[in-house]
Amino acid sequence: MAVERTLSIIKPDATKRNLTGAIAKKFEDAGLRIVAAKRIQLTPEQAGKFYEVHKDRPFFGELRDFMASGPVVVQVLEGENAIAKNREVMGATNPKDAAEGTIRKEFAQSVGENSVHGSDAAETAKEEIAFFFSGLELVG
Ligand code: RTP
Ligand code: MG
């Protein structure tokens, strides 16, 4: 197994409910190291650019506006198999389908307001990390 890096976003529904620490603890407890982190407010344009892959989906407008509705905490997580491990800790997109103990099972409010984002593959992880962080901000 290789050491990987992946991009995580703690979404506005979670930052609003003061869940940043509880969610970060789930990542750390799973063996993922937070090698970069910042709290930012996205504009709708920035949020739309980040989720551009979904631009033709019916939920795109709702997703863009939700991601710009409050602060987000973006983090780079590092560890063995970090991309898959992070998605395992996050749980299924819809909290109704998420396994016990996962972030979305415990904290998500709906399929849209589901508390966390995680990169889905090596190539997207690379692009998404570069979207938010410069090399100087990554401290392993
Ligand atoms: P993410 O990209 O945020 O990590 O989530 P994911 O891979 O589990 O799911 P994806 O299919 O990439 O969807 C991106 C985000 O769009 C919102 N969504 N809303 N209303 C809906 O039916 C619906 N479906 C997806 C969610 O916030 C989802 O995480
Ligand atoms: Mg996705």
Side-chain angles (χ1 to χ4, degrees), residues 51 54 87 117-118 120:
Y51 274 120
H54 294 309
R87 289 185 70 88
H117 161 83
D120 59 11

Side-chain angles (χ1 to χ4, degrees), residues 5 9 15 19 29 40 44 67 71 78 82 92 98 103 106 122 132 138:
R5 285 176 170 175
I9 305 178
T15 61
L19 293 170
D29 286 350
I40 56 174
M67 291 299 289
E78 182 182 272
I103 291 168
E106 280 187 31
F132 287 109
L138 304 168

Side-chain angles (χ1 to χ4, degrees), residues 4 6 24-35 76-87 89:
E4 295 175 335
T6 192
K25 179 161 167 44
K26 292 267 196 198
F27 298 141
E28 293 188 330
D29 286 350
L32 295 164
R33 181 176 300 278
I34 300 166
V35 298
V76 178
L77 309 178
E78 182 182 272
E80 292 281 341
N81 236 356
I83 298 165
K85 190 178 281 180
N86 177 40
R87 289 185 70 88
V89 175

Side-chain angles (χ1 to χ4, degrees), residues 8-9 11 23 26-27 30 32 51 77 82-120:
S8 162
I9 305 178
K11 296 183 179 182
I23 290 173
K26 292 267 196 198
F27 298 141
L32 295 164
Y51 274 120
L77 309 178
I83 298 165
K85 190 178 281 180
N86 177 40
R87 289 185 70 88
E88 199 180 307
V89 175
M90 285 165 48
T93 309
N94 189 334
K96 288 183 185 145
D97 303 326
E100 285 302 327
T102 62
I103 291 168
R104 284 167 168 168
K105 176 72 177 184
E106 280 187 31
F107 302 128
Q109 297 185 299
S110 65
V111 64
E113 303 204 359
N114 60 1
S115 303
V116 278
H117 161 83
S119 307
D120 59 11

